[in-house]
Amino acid sequence: MNAAITLWNKQMSKLSGEETFGLLIQPILWVVLFGVGMKGVMGSAVPGGDDFYIAFMAPGIVALSALGGAIAGGSVWLDERMRGIVKEYLVAPIPRLSILLGNTFTIVTKSLFQAIVIFVIGVLMGAQIANNPPGWVGGILLVAGYSIGFAGIALALASKTNDPGAYHAVIFLLNLPLLFLSNALYPLSSLPQWMQIGARINPTSYVVDGLRQLVLTNGNGLASGELLPLWQCAVAIILFATLGMWLAYVAFRSAIR
Amino acid sequence: MNDYAVEAKNLVKRFGDIDAVNNVSLMIPKNSIYALLGPNGAGKTTTISMLTTLIQPTQGSARVAGYDVLSQADKVRRNIGVTFQETVLDDALTGRQAMTYHGRLYRFSKAENEAKTAELLAMVELEDAADRAIKTYSGGMKRRLELARGLMTEPQVLFLDEPTLGLDPQNRTKIWEYIQDLKQRKGLTLLLTTHYMDEAEQLADCVGIIDAGCIIKEGSPKELIDQMGKDAITMIGYGNRERYLEQLGQLPFVQAVTTAGPITQLAVDAGNRRLAEVVTLANTEGFTIEDISVAKPSLADVFLKYTGRQLRDK
Ligand SMILES: Nc1ncnc2c1ncn2[C@@H]1O[C@H](COP(=O)(O)OP(=O)(O)OP(=O)(O)O)[C@@H](O)[C@H]1O
Ligand SMILES: [Mg+2]
């Protein structure tokens, strides 16, 4: 654990001004462009119309940012492997698992930071947040779990390949359906049957609906009362986080000894 | 416990069908410097990787600082310092950060960590640059920082894979001084690889020449050089070389004839006195000498003899 915290600390201390700016600006752009741009098109699908679309899709942007954060974290790990920086860790008397944890912690920290930024921007743009601190904590846990799951998948892929191009190609394939094959941008019922099935096995749907219920004032109303039950969201995200970590652990074990 | 810092028995490492290391055994006494010499691809880095627990041997076993590299990897890691052939520093950190994060991985207390960092940065003369990002360092500064980092944890055994790679003569000499000092003052055992023969000759108590994954010759630099005969005559020329070499080999004072590409080398009892005879024989055998010189044999000549190739410095 000491080693994991050290590695996390090291990664975080490397955060330059530019990167922090990037971490900030990216979700802001998403909220503004998506929120404003899509609301004309999609707003009609959301009860209450245009004005509620920002609130409706803010959780989706959180998921998208977490996904982006995991991908970037995987790239960092791939880069450290390729440049040999991991050798410093490998000849040190630290558990191999701590290297995985250090990377995961870093990814989760950045994602949570972005999630908070997104909700703040959302509020500034008119979304209403429930005054419900336990709900916020629950929301943070959900985002963390989702982020852990994707961090695991990204780190597993980055452990298995030696080619940044291949890594990004695979990630790209995963990326699009995860966002669009979900309830992030439109209510489930507005989707065709096959897409609804896809959305139901997509962890993104669960983090999004979970956040809507925990953090927004009128999440249920926004989604026309057809939110996935909260307990399902919790279970799905826990399973997903476990799966991601397990994949990463297996991949780490074969990539580093 | 015992007198050897490194004991490797019949190490083998295969990558697919490449035998990177093929039956290497090493016994390195405590508080000595061992230099592993070999052409590119000989298996030096692979050997070090096995001894530092980075990779597992396909066959064979090794103990480092008294601990088994397979079953006691963690104890081995606690007792070694390593610098790698390539520079592995995180460019975005400062020199001081690189050191303190390293110390934290080894669970140093804050005070201990700061003291050690300051001491070692002073030793490698990087105090002034300590708080600059590593990406602004020159190659020599990075190399010195890595050396300092390798020493941070007061290892018993230090592995240095080409520690002076790409350094200017000042930096090289400086690093030699550190290495010698470490051995004398701290009682360290060092295993280093190098492509510079003068470096091995200067530093090493024992030299192992490795080629194609096997150690083909081992001994102190002096022993190895003495075995080369008293003097070495080196020449280049053209003509009927084969016949000439055959005739040379039959001269009583010629102890050995080796060739490497166009270069011919003779080990003789007394170079200056025999030079005339060698040249005369060339004339009668129809071989034209373009360049000829006499020198005391050096480790480079030993290397040449056993690996049959000139070194390719990088
Ligand atoms: N991970 C690997 N996968 C496949 N082959 C490898 C791997 N690492 C090393 N080899 C091969 O093993 C052989 C020995 O390599 P090694 O790096 O140990 O040589 P070296 O003596 O350190 O050479 P150099 O002087 O160039 O550093 C080479 O033929 C190399 O191609
Ligand atoms: Mg090497």
Side-chain angles (χ1 to χ4, degrees):
Chain A
M1 207 30 97
N2 161 69
I5 292 170
T6 303
L7 293 179
W8 169 76
N9 209 310
K10 173 176 162 185
Q11 302 285 11
M12 295 309 293
S13 76
K14 280 185 354 195
L15 257 182
S16 60
E18 296 102 69
E19 204 193 335
T20 314
F21 182 72
L23 282 179
L24 271 169
I25 205 71
Q26 211 182 347
I28 295 178
L29 277 178
W30 274 109
V31 174
V32 172
L33 293 179
F34 241 98
V36 175
M38 293 282 275
K39 90 174 169 187
V41 187
M42 293 308 305
S44 54
V46 179
D50 287 9
D51 291 346
F52 292 96
Y53 191 64
I54 297 277
F56 178 78
M57 56 113 243
I61 304 298
V62 170
L64 185 69
S65 299
L67 192 56
I71 295 168
S75 287
V76 170
W77 169 240
L78 181 57
D79 183 59
E80 288 202 339
R81 275 184 56 230
M82 295 294 90
R83 288 184 21 215
I85 291 177
V86 290
K87 289 193 212 163
E88 182 200 344
Y89 315 146
L90 294 182
V91 297
I94 59 173
R96 276 38 202 151
L97 191 59
S98 66
I99 305 172
L100 171 60
L101 291 180
N103 278 300
T104 308
F105 290 170
T106 308
I107 293 171
V108 172
T109 311
K110 292 182 186 171
S111 296
L112 288 178
F113 169 71
Q114 288 190 308
I116 291 167
V117 170
I118 290 162
F119 276 108
V120 170
I121 302 294
V123 169
L124 291 179
M125 292 183 61
Q128 291 184 338
I129 301 276
N131 184 14
N132 174 18
W136 300 346
V137 173
I140 284 176
L141 289 178
L142 268 192
V143 176
Y146 182 79
S147 172
I148 288 172
F150 275 115
I153 291 173
L155 291 170
L157 284 172
S159 303
K160 280 292 185 190
T161 177
N162 289 338
D163 173 9
Y167 169 76
H168 283 287
V170 175
I171 288 286
F172 185 71
L173 275 180
L174 279 175
N175 207 341
L176 285 181
L178 282 170
L179 179 64
F180 289 101
L181 211 55
S182 79
N183 56 5
L185 304 175
Y186 13 74
L188 262 187
S189 61
S190 66
L191 298 175
Q193 186 66 31
W194 69 270
M195 278 181 82
Q196 287 196 23
I197 296 171
R200 283 212 168 245
I201 53 175
N202 182 352
T204 310
S205 300
Y206 294 89
V207 74
V208 164
D209 269 2
L211 283 177
R212 282 177 183 150
Q213 293 168 69
L214 289 167
V215 183
L216 298 176
T217 331
N218 185 22
N220 201 30
L222 285 177
S224 327
E226 49 167 288
L227 286 173
L228 297 159
L230 195 53
W231 71 268
Q232 278 187 19
C233 296
V235 170
I237 294 302
I238 290 170
L239 285 179
F240 178 61
T242 314
L243 173 78
M245 279 297 101
W246 179 75
L247 283 177
Y249 182 64
V250 171
F252 260 57
R253 284 241 318 233
S254 68
I256 59 181
R257 270 152 294 245
Chain B
M1 205 161 25
N2 64 42
D3 301 329
Y4 291 99
V6 176
E7 308 159 75
K9 291 202 185 70
N10 309 104
L11 284 179
V12 174
K13 182 70 193 182
R14 282 191 205 99
F15 293 109
D17 49 8
I18 302 171
D19 287 349
V21 170
N22 198 356
N23 214 5
V24 162
S25 297
L26 279 177
M27 296 296 271
I28 306 181
K30 282 189 175 156
N31 198 16
S32 69
I33 300 180
Y34 189 101
L36 209 47
L37 310 178
N40 291 144
K44 303 179 294 294
T45 299
T46 309
T47 303
I48 288 193
S49 300
M50 287 189 281
L51 294 176
T52 54
T53 75
L54 267 181
I55 60 176
Q56 295 179 344
T58 313
Q59 274 168 40
S61 64
R63 298 178 83 79
V64 173
Y67 301 109
D68 189 275
V69 293
L70 282 176
S71 60
Q72 297 169 299
D74 212 55
K75 291 216 171 76
V76 171
R77 290 174 188 142
R78 246 171 245 290
N79 288 290
I80 59 172
V82 190
T83 71
F84 304 100
Q85 179 169 353
E86 68 276 27
T87 305
V88 293
L89 290 165
D90 213 323
D91 275 351
L93 300 175
T94 67
R96 193 184 306 281
Q97 283 175 325
M99 298 285 285
T100 49
Y101 282 120
H102 190 72
R104 281 177 56 184
L105 286 182
Y106 289 75
R107 294 178 165 274
F108 281 15
S109 73
K110 198 161 186 298
E112 205 181 355
N113 207 354
E114 278 167 11
K116 235 24 231 141
T117 299
E119 177 199 326
L120 287 164
L121 286 175
M123 182 189 117
V124 296
E125 291 163 64
L126 283 176
E127 304 120 304
D128 293 342
D131 296 304
R132 257 163 53 192
I134 293 171
K135 54 174 163 274
T136 67
Y137 285 21
S138 74
M141 293 164 82
K142 288 184 185 167
R143 224 52 196 161
R144 272 153 40 210
L145 179 62
E146 288 193 314
L147 188 64
R149 186 174 66 179
L151 290 169
M152 181 94 185
T153 52
E154 307 211 321
Q156 292 181 38
V157 190
L158 187 61
F159 294 88
L160 306 173
D161 200 352
E162 302 192 27
T164 59
L165 180 70
L167 297 189
D168 64 27
Q170 285 88 338
N171 265 310
R172 281 179 65 202
T173 327
K174 200 82 214 174
I175 286 192
W176 292 0
E177 280 168 20
Y178 299 145
I179 290 175
Q180 258 151 350
D181 190 53
L182 287 170
K183 179 191 151 195
Q184 270 148 24
R185 270 191 327 129
K186 309 224 168 174
L188 239 62
T189 309
L190 290 102
L191 171 58
L192 56 91
T193 74
T194 181
H195 286 299
Y196 300 108
M197 295 300 133
D198 53 339
E199 186 163 302
E201 213 172 316
Q202 279 264 336
L203 289 175
D205 301 303
C206 186
V207 162
I209 297 176
I210 182 171
D211 197 7
C214 298
I215 294 196
I216 46 182
K217 191 71 191 176
E218 201 175 40
S220 75
K222 187 172 178 321
E223 260 165 45
L224 295 182
I225 293 168
D226 285 351
Q227 284 169 15
M228 293 294 289
K230 275 194 68 156
D231 281 327
I233 296 180
T234 309
M235 62 185 157
I236 298 182
Y238 57 87
N240 192 350
R241 190 176 175 203
E242 229 147 88
R243 196 180 142 65
Y244 174 51
L245 293 186
E246 203 177 294
Q247 295 291 318
L248 275 176
Q250 280 163 22
L251 294 175
F253 59 83
V254 174
Q255 290 152 358
V257 181
T258 40
T259 60
I263 300 167
T264 303
Q265 203 165 65
L266 310 176
V268 297
D269 54 358
N272 292 329
R273 201 145 47 83
R274 303 300 187 188
L275 197 57
E277 288 175 63
V278 170
V279 174
T280 313
L281 184 67
N283 289 339
T284 54
E285 295 299 333
F287 185 80
T288 312
I289 294 172
E290 289 181 306
D291 188 90
I292 188 162
S293 60
V294 182
K296 295 277 169 213
S298 69
L299 202 53
D301 301 315
V302 178
F303 187 83
L304 197 68
K305 175 174 167 193
Y306 288 104
T307 61
R309 290 175 254 182
Q310 283 279 14
L311 268 187
R312 286 146 290 176
D313 271 351
K314 289 175 293 175

